[in-house]
Amino acid sequence: MAKGCTNSELKKESENISFEYEAHTRGGYKKVLAKQDTVYTIKSRGGEAIEKKLSKSDWNSLLNLLSKVDTEKIKDLKAPSEKRFYDGAMIGELKVIYKDKTYESANFDHGNPPAEIKDLVNKILAVSDLDKE
Protein backbone atom coordinates (compact mmCIF):
# COMPACT_ATOMS: atom_id res chain seq x y z
CA MET A 1 0.00 0.00 0.00
CA ALA A 2 2.89 2.32 -0.64
CA LYS A 3 2.73 5.43 -2.77
CA GLY A 4 1.91 4.51 -6.30
CA CYS A 5 -1.25 2.57 -5.57
CA THR A 6 -3.84 3.97 -7.89
CA ASN A 7 -7.09 5.34 -6.62
CA SER A 8 -8.95 2.48 -8.35
CA GLU A 9 -6.72 -0.10 -6.63
CA LEU A 10 -7.48 1.54 -3.29
CA LYS A 11 -11.21 1.58 -4.03
CA LYS A 12 -11.13 -2.18 -4.61
CA GLU A 13 -9.59 -2.60 -1.15
CA SER A 14 -11.57 0.17 0.55
CA GLU A 15 -13.43 -2.14 2.94
CA ASN A 16 -10.01 -3.14 4.33
CA ILE A 17 -8.81 0.44 4.88
CA SER A 18 -9.46 2.74 7.83
CA PHE A 19 -7.98 5.95 9.15
CA GLU A 20 -7.40 6.83 12.77
CA TYR A 21 -6.40 10.28 13.96
CA GLU A 22 -5.70 11.08 17.57
CA ALA A 23 -4.76 14.34 19.30
CA HIS A 24 -4.02 14.46 23.01
CA THR A 25 -2.40 16.34 25.86
CA ARG A 26 -2.51 15.78 29.58
CA GLY A 27 -5.91 17.48 29.72
CA GLY A 28 -7.40 16.99 26.28
CA TYR A 29 -8.25 14.16 23.94
CA LYS A 30 -9.77 13.83 20.47
CA LYS A 31 -10.02 10.80 18.24
CA VAL A 32 -11.44 10.12 14.80
CA LEU A 33 -11.91 6.75 13.16
CA ALA A 34 -13.01 6.83 9.51
CA LYS A 35 -14.11 3.71 7.69
CA GLN A 36 -15.68 3.14 4.29
CA ASP A 37 -19.12 4.55 5.16
CA THR A 38 -18.88 5.78 8.75
CA VAL A 39 -16.83 8.23 10.79
CA TYR A 40 -16.63 8.00 14.58
CA THR A 41 -15.56 11.01 16.64
CA ILE A 42 -14.62 11.04 20.32
CA LYS A 43 -14.13 14.49 21.82
CA SER A 44 -12.89 13.59 25.31
CA ARG A 45 -11.24 10.74 27.22
CA GLY A 46 -13.89 8.23 28.09
CA GLY A 47 -16.38 10.13 25.93
CA GLU A 48 -19.01 8.53 23.78
CA ALA A 49 -18.23 7.98 20.13
CA ILE A 50 -20.37 10.13 17.85
CA GLU A 51 -21.24 8.14 14.75
CA LYS A 52 -21.84 9.90 11.45
CA LYS A 53 -22.47 8.65 7.93
CA LEU A 54 -19.48 9.21 5.64
CA SER A 55 -20.47 10.17 2.11
CA LYS A 56 -19.09 8.23 -0.84
CA SER A 57 -17.47 11.40 -2.20
CA ASP A 58 -15.71 12.11 1.13
CA TRP A 59 -14.50 8.50 1.30
CA ASN A 60 -13.24 8.70 -2.29
CA SER A 61 -11.45 11.95 -1.43
CA LEU A 62 -9.73 10.21 1.48
CA LEU A 63 -8.65 7.34 -0.80
CA ASN A 64 -7.40 9.82 -3.40
CA LEU A 65 -5.34 11.65 -0.78
CA LEU A 66 -4.04 8.33 0.56
CA SER A 67 -2.85 7.36 -2.94
CA LYS A 68 -0.44 10.32 -2.74
CA VAL A 69 1.12 9.17 0.56
CA ASP A 70 3.92 6.64 0.95
CA THR A 71 2.53 4.76 3.95
CA GLU A 72 5.83 2.96 4.49
CA LYS A 73 7.51 6.30 5.19
CA ILE A 74 4.94 8.12 7.35
CA LYS A 75 6.69 6.92 10.50
CA ASP A 76 9.76 8.93 9.45
CA LEU A 77 8.09 12.21 8.50
CA LYS A 78 9.50 15.27 10.25
CA ALA A 79 7.03 17.50 12.05
CA PRO A 80 7.24 21.14 10.89
CA SER A 81 6.87 22.53 14.43
CA GLU A 82 7.50 21.45 18.02
CA LYS A 83 4.88 23.19 20.14
CA ARG A 84 3.77 19.83 21.54
CA PHE A 85 7.06 19.63 23.46
CA TYR A 86 5.95 22.40 25.83
CA ASP A 87 2.15 21.91 25.80
CA GLY A 88 1.76 24.59 23.13
CA ALA A 89 -0.20 22.14 20.97
CA MET A 90 -1.89 18.78 21.31
CA ILE A 91 0.14 15.78 20.12
CA GLY A 92 -1.24 14.54 16.81
CA GLU A 93 -0.83 11.06 15.34
CA LEU A 94 -2.16 9.47 12.17
CA LYS A 95 -2.68 5.77 11.61
CA VAL A 96 -3.62 4.18 8.33
CA ILE A 97 -4.88 0.65 8.87
CA TYR A 98 -4.92 -1.80 5.99
CA LYS A 99 -6.10 -5.32 6.80
CA ASP A 100 -3.85 -6.36 9.73
CA LYS A 101 -1.09 -3.81 9.05
CA THR A 102 -0.94 -0.40 10.72
CA TYR A 103 1.10 2.48 9.33
CA GLU A 104 1.63 5.02 12.08
CA SER A 105 3.06 8.51 11.77
CA ALA A 106 5.57 10.08 14.09
CA ASN A 107 4.06 12.60 16.53
CA PHE A 108 3.36 16.11 15.29
CA ASP A 109 1.58 19.23 16.49
CA HIS A 110 -2.20 18.96 16.12
CA GLY A 111 -3.11 21.53 13.48
CA ASN A 112 0.31 21.40 11.82
CA PRO A 113 1.02 17.93 10.38
CA PRO A 114 3.96 17.18 8.08
CA ALA A 115 3.34 18.46 4.53
CA GLU A 116 3.27 14.92 3.09
CA ILE A 117 0.15 14.00 5.10
CA LYS A 118 -1.35 17.45 5.70
CA ASP A 119 -4.16 17.21 3.14
CA LEU A 120 -5.12 13.71 4.35
CA VAL A 121 -5.15 14.76 8.02
CA ASN A 122 -7.16 17.89 7.23
CA LYS A 123 -9.73 15.86 5.28
CA ILE A 124 -10.07 13.36 8.15
CA LEU A 125 -10.68 16.26 10.52
CA ALA A 126 -13.13 17.88 8.11
CA VAL A 127 -15.33 14.78 7.77
CA SER A 128 -15.37 14.40 11.56
CA ASP A 129 -16.31 18.01 12.35
CA LEU A 130 -13.27 18.33 14.67
CA ASP A 131 -11.88 20.98 12.34
CA LYS A 132 -14.63 23.31 13.52
CA GLU A 133 -13.31 23.27 17.09
Side-chain angles (χ1 to χ4, degrees), residues 21-62:
Y21 178 78
E22 193 172 87
H24 56 89
T25 62
R26 288 179 281 177
Y29 182 80
K30 301 172 188 217
K31 184 173 184 176
V32 177
L33 177 62
K35 296 184 176 199
Q36 187 172 7
D37 55 4
T38 310
V39 62
Y40 302 91
T41 305
I42 301 171
K43 296 184 178 186
S44 63
R45 275 189 183 83
E48 291 287 320
I50 300 164
E51 184 177 335
K52 179 177 138 181
K53 183 91 172 125
L54 185 61
S55 73
K56 207 175 234 349
S57 69
D58 281 337
W59 180 249
N60 288 335
S61 292
L62 287 169

Side-chain angles (χ1 to χ4, degrees), residues 4-130:
C5 280
T6 66
N7 204 12
S8 62
E9 289 170 332
L10 289 173
K11 284 181 184 177
K12 288 178 190 172
E13 290 293 326
S14 72
E15 67 187 34
N16 297 312
I17 299 170
S18 61
F19 302 93
E20 190 175 299
Y21 178 78
E22 193 172 87
H24 56 89
T25 62
R26 288 179 281 177
Y29 182 80
K30 301 172 188 217
K31 184 173 184 176
V32 177
L33 177 62
K35 296 184 176 199
Q36 187 172 7
D37 55 4
T38 310
V39 62
Y40 302 91
T41 305
I42 301 171
K43 296 184 178 186
S44 63
R45 275 189 183 83
E48 291 287 320
I50 300 164
E51 184 177 335
K52 179 177 138 181
K53 183 91 172 125
L54 185 61
S55 73
K56 207 175 234 349
S57 69
D58 281 337
W59 180 249
N60 288 335
S61 292
L62 287 169
L63 293 179
N64 183 45
L65 292 167
L66 177 61
S67 71
K68 299 172 184 174
V69 173
D70 188 342
T71 52
E72 295 290 341
K73 294 183 179 177
I74 66 170
K75 68 184 180 305
D76 301 319
L77 297 178
K78 176 95 170 93
S81 58
E82 297 179 341
K83 292 180 181 179
R84 66 197 177 284
F85 293 158
Y86 56 84
D87 287 341
M90 295 178 86
I91 300 166
E93 301 167 321
L94 172 66
K95 292 180 185 174
V96 177
I97 302 150
Y98 174 66
K99 293 185 180 178
D100 59 352
K101 178 101 168 119
T102 300
Y103 303 91
E104 188 170 352
S105 73
N107 293 342
F108 54 86
D109 292 350
H110 173 62
N112 194 20
E116 297 88 345
I117 59 173
K118 184 175 188 146
D119 291 341
L120 179 58
V121 168
N122 288 341
K123 184 64 178 178
I124 291 167
L125 292 174
V127 300
S128 73
D129 295 330
L130 279 182

